[in-house]
Amino acid sequence: APTRGSGTAPVCDEWRRVVKPGVDDPALAGYTEIRDGVVWTEDWRDCTSDFGNQIEYRWFPDLSGAQLGAAAYDSVKQLVPQPDVQLSRPADNLLVNVETSIAVTPIQPVTATATIPGRSATVTATPLRIDIVTGSHVTTDTRQLSCPPWGGPTSTCVWTPIYPSVGKVTGTNDHRHHGSVSVIWNVAWTSTDGTGGTLQQLTTTTPIQFAVREIQIIGGD
């Protein structure tokens, strides 16, 4: 005989409403509860495993497609990753008047689905653009950059610092620009009940410190 924890995973039927005996009206046939203003219904399903058949019972909230989309949105917020920053020069060795390319390793769209019996909603977060804060405090310097994400001819942001990272430029005492690289995500949802729409954009950010040095040239023609 199989021991507990061995064997194949149980195979279960779809969830179905628990029906009160002797009630003909479908609207009144199920067991319901109201919790914090939300209607919950009791469902059951038949599962078969190496240990035989087993009936499972569970209460589910009666949520609309939009409410399920909100639940899936909360999951997506936990799944979108921070950007993995790629620089053409080491972050501690940028040079005045020398271009530095700042890019992000491509990230695939992120999805999450919330499901109740008979209805589900899927939320998809898709990268929209890359935003860069250089950390410079000088108004004549480049303080922010934006560019499209990967896959296009301008998918890399280019920064040409014009000042070294001294305190009066950075506003810090460690000779570093305290900047950041962010990915802005568009978020949309669709439900199996035919509804759908857009949700609030998400932002994931990686802090980064840039050290900008100045090459001193002595002499010349």
Side-chain angles (χ1 to χ4, degrees):
T3 58
R4 184 166 297 277
S6 67
T8 58
V11 177
C12 299
D13 295 336
E14 294 184 357
W15 289 101
R16 287 169 281 183
R17 291 284 301 274
V18 176
V19 177
K20 299 176 182 178
V23 179
D24 296 328
D25 186 349
L28 304 175
Y31 292 92
T32 62
E33 291 183 0
I34 297 179
R35 308 175 190 174
D36 297 325
V38 177
V39 176
W40 290 67
T41 60
E42 188 179 21
D43 289 64
W44 70 278
R45 66 179 180 179
D46 189 5
C47 294
T48 303
S49 69
D50 292 339
F51 305 103
N53 286 12
Q54 182 178 0
I55 303 297
E56 294 185 355
Y57 294 88
R58 185 177 300 176
W59 288 84
F60 290 96
D62 185 13
L63 300 179
S64 66
Q67 290 171 316
L68 288 171
Y73 178 81
D74 289 339
S75 296
V76 162
K77 285 196 297 185
Q78 305 303 317
L79 295 174
V80 286
Q82 288 183 294
D84 176 27
V85 182
Q86 305 292 325
L87 304 176
S88 61
R89 298 187 58 84
D92 61 351
N93 193 30
L94 274 60
L95 297 175
V96 170
N97 294 325
V98 175
E99 287 188 351
T100 296
S101 297
I102 305 172
V104 172
T105 301
I107 309 172
Q108 295 298 316
V110 176
T111 64
T113 300
T115 302
I116 59 174
R119 185 179 298 126
S120 66
T122 298
V123 169
T124 301
T126 304
L128 172 66
R129 70 176 187 274
I130 300 168
D131 284 352
I132 297 169
V133 175
T134 65
S136 177
H137 284 208
V138 179
T139 56
T140 54
D141 200 357
T142 300
R143 304 173 72 175
Q144 292 185 334
L145 293 164
S146 291
C147 55
W150 35 93
T154 58
S155 60
T156 298
C157 291
V158 176
W159 177 32
T160 303
I162 60 176
Y163 299 104
S165 52
V166 296
K168 63 182 180 180
V169 175
T170 65
T172 64
N173 296 321
D174 59 1
H175 302 290
R176 296 287 190 277
H177 289 285
H178 289 202
S180 63
V181 178
S182 300
V183 173
I184 312 302
W185 303 74
N186 270 346
V187 186
W189 66 277
T190 58
S191 174
T192 54
D193 65 7
T195 57
T198 59
L199 296 167
Q200 184 177 359
Q201 289 181 335
L202 294 173
T203 301
T204 53
T205 301
T206 296
I208 189 168
Q209 296 183 11
F210 303 104
V212 181
R213 309 181 191 282
E214 189 170 28
I215 299 177
Q216 299 292 336
I217 299 177
I218 300 177
D221 296 335

